[in-house]
């Protein structure tokens, strides 16, 4: 299997983020605009949390809070699990499944260089398996 670096090289390393003092409404709006499910929360270059659609649903909607009055730092996940570019795809998938989250910032030299989703990992694994199947079929067919 390939490393996270290989996946990021293909996917790209642009990182959209949000400040901790932004409103949850702004965060959800940004996620909708970028068609993503989570945003790293950054103070300058420092990763201080992550906010996801799940955080919004569970910590704002279900608690009947106002997304326009609630700040990101009030509901974000503060203990962020991160990946390294050298880690393997299967390892990151296991981390995400065990931690029950779907987005994993990738950090190198204390800098966020990308964010991978569970969907990214599944798509990569399926593509690799499809390639292997095609190679085996070609070999068998002679």
């Amino acid at each position: 299997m390939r490393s996270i670096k290989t996946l990021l090289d293909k996917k790209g390393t642009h990182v959209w983020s949000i400040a901790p003092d932004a409103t949850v409404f702004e965060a959800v709006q940004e996620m909708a605009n970028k068609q993503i499910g989570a945003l790293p929360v950054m103070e300058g270059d420092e990763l201080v949390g992550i906010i996801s659609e799940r955080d919004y649903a569970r910590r704002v909607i279900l608690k009947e809070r106002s997304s326009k009055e609630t700040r990101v730092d009030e509901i974000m996940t503060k203990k962020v699990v991160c990946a390294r570019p050298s880690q393997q795809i299967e390892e990151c998938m296991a981390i995400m499944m065990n931690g029950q989250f779907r987005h994993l910032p990738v950090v190198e030299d204390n800098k966020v260089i990308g964010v991978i989703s569970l969907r990214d990992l599944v798509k990569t694994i399926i593509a690799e398996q499809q390639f292997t199947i095609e190679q085996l079929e070609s070999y068998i067919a002679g």
Side-chain angles (χ1 to χ4, degrees):
M1 283 282 173
R2 293 187 292 174
S3 69
I4 295 303
K5 181 182 181 334
T6 305
L7 177 87
L8 285 178
D9 288 345
K10 183 177 178 184
K11 176 185 175 179
T13 57
H14 184 80
V15 178
W16 288 289
S17 64
I18 194 124
D21 61 349
T23 66
V24 172
F25 181 84
E26 292 169 320
V28 172
Q29 191 172 46
E30 184 73 3
M31 286 186 265
N33 290 341
K34 304 299 185 201
Q35 296 182 344
I36 56 177
L39 285 168
V41 182
M42 308 287 291
E43 277 187 328
D45 288 338
E46 183 184 356
L47 178 67
V48 295
I50 189 165
I51 183 170
S52 68
E53 294 167 328
R54 183 181 288 177
D55 294 325
Y56 171 65
R58 293 180 178 176
R59 298 177 184 154
V60 176
I61 294 174
L62 290 178
K63 297 197 177 194
E64 298 180 358
R65 296 173 78 177
S66 167
S67 62
K68 290 185 177 183
E69 295 174 11
T70 304
R71 290 170 32 133
V72 167
D73 59 1
E74 295 176 52
I75 70 156
M76 70 183 185
T77 300
K78 293 178 181 159
K79 291 186 179 183
V80 183
V81 176
C82 298
R84 295 179 317 279
S86 61
Q87 285 183 279
Q88 298 299 302
I89 289 171
E90 306 96 338
E91 182 182 0
C92 290
M93 182 176 272
I95 289 167
M96 294 166 84
M97 297 298 287
N98 290 336
Q100 298 182 355
F101 50 85
R102 293 176 277 182
H103 299 89
L104 192 60
V106 181
V107 175
E108 184 174 48
D109 298 325
N110 294 321
K111 182 180 179 197
V112 178
I113 62 165
V115 176
I116 56 171
S117 69
L118 195 53
R119 175 180 285 162
D120 295 331
L121 301 180
V122 170
K123 283 172 55 177
T124 301
I125 290 170
I126 289 171
E128 288 177 350
Q129 289 175 344
Q130 184 62 39
F131 177 76
T132 300
I133 290 168
E134 290 170 4
Q135 293 297 308
L136 290 171
E137 287 174 343
S138 176
Y139 175 77
I140 291 169

